[in-house]
Amino acid sequence: LPTRDDDRDERSIAESRPARRFAAASAVGGVLALLLFAWLLTLGRFDMTSWQRVGDFYDAQADAWLDGRWDIPPDTLGIERFEARGRSYMYQGPWPAVLRLPFAAVADGLDGRLTQLSMTLALGVAIAAASRLHWRIRRLLRGDAPFTRGEAVAVGLGTFAVAGGSALLYVASRAWVYHEALLWGVAWSIAALDAVLACVVEPTRRRMAWAGLATTLALGSRSSVA
């Protein structure tokens, strides 16, 4: 005879099926969007480490941190700087520079060559966050409704449209620090919205901490976007 534990296991399996199919459909759309983005970003060469003009601000910031200071040589920043007490500083948020710390610590010659990698990673975070937000909204509106083939197509197209049919694709027209900051600001803002919605549905300390962290990272990437 079936037991209560068996019933719970069956419900858990049934609930996980739509989630897996939703994730698969989102992944297909997201991968296609990432490929299109990378193709445009690299002008069809898919060379993610080519040197970029106005792409070394964050590298210089990471190098400065490793030297125990915050100021950056003024020649690197040019007019994109502000000065205080005779030193030059970057007004861009620090998050993309944090990502460069491991590279700056172990390798030389990568200044200006990590912008495209960072932008592609930012888009991947934006797609993942948008997919999580989409799934969370679906659960609120439709509960455990069956995930049909038609919905799978719609989800895949929707995920693709987030990056391949929006202003985020325009950002791939040029790899430089301004677009990089914008992308990370968008990515972490979407993640923060998803985290805040999760807190509204079922508040926990862990979810609140993640919402605060995602919001901080969005502000630390591009405060005007966040």
Side-chain angles (χ1 to χ4, degrees), residues 18-79:
R20 289 197 300 265
R21 296 181 65 188
F22 185 98
S26 290
V28 171
V31 168
L32 291 176
L34 277 172
L35 288 173
L36 177 60
F37 181 88
W39 174 81
L40 181 58
L41 185 67
T42 62
L43 302 178
R45 295 190 294 267
F46 291 97
D47 179 7
M48 288 290 181
T49 56
S50 60
W51 182 83
Q52 301 297 318
R53 183 178 177 85
V54 195
D56 58 352
F57 290 8
Y58 295 121
D59 303 283
Q61 185 66 82
D63 290 335
W65 286 340
L66 292 175
D67 291 337
R69 54 188 174 82
W70 201 284
D71 60 292
I72 300 173
D75 292 342
T76 300
L77 297 175
I79 64 172

Side-chain angles (χ1 to χ4, degrees), residues 83-184:
E83 296 184 354
R85 298 182 178 88
R87 297 182 179 183
S88 299
Y89 300 90
M90 177 175 65
Y91 62 77
Q92 301 283 358
W95 166 246
V98 174
L99 293 176
R100 284 163 166 76
L101 282 173
F103 298 95
V106 301
D108 295 324
L110 290 177
D111 288 0
R113 296 181 178 274
L114 298 174
T115 305
Q116 291 164 305
L117 280 173
S118 179
M119 290 176 65
T120 304
L121 178 61
L123 187 70
V125 172
I127 291 172
S131 297
R132 282 180 58 87
L133 180 60
H134 188 182
W135 171 249
R136 205 176 300 280
I137 293 172
R138 182 194 188 273
R139 288 294 306 273
L140 288 174
L141 296 178
R142 304 195 63 200
D144 298 325
F147 189 76
T148 64
R149 186 173 299 176
E151 186 178 0
V153 173
V155 167
L157 291 174
T159 304
F160 177 83
V162 168
S166 70
L168 296 182
L169 183 62
Y170 167 78
V171 175
S173 62
R174 182 166 182 180
W176 57 353
V177 295
Y178 311 112
H179 287 177
E180 182 181 356
L182 188 154
L183 265 175
W184 277 114

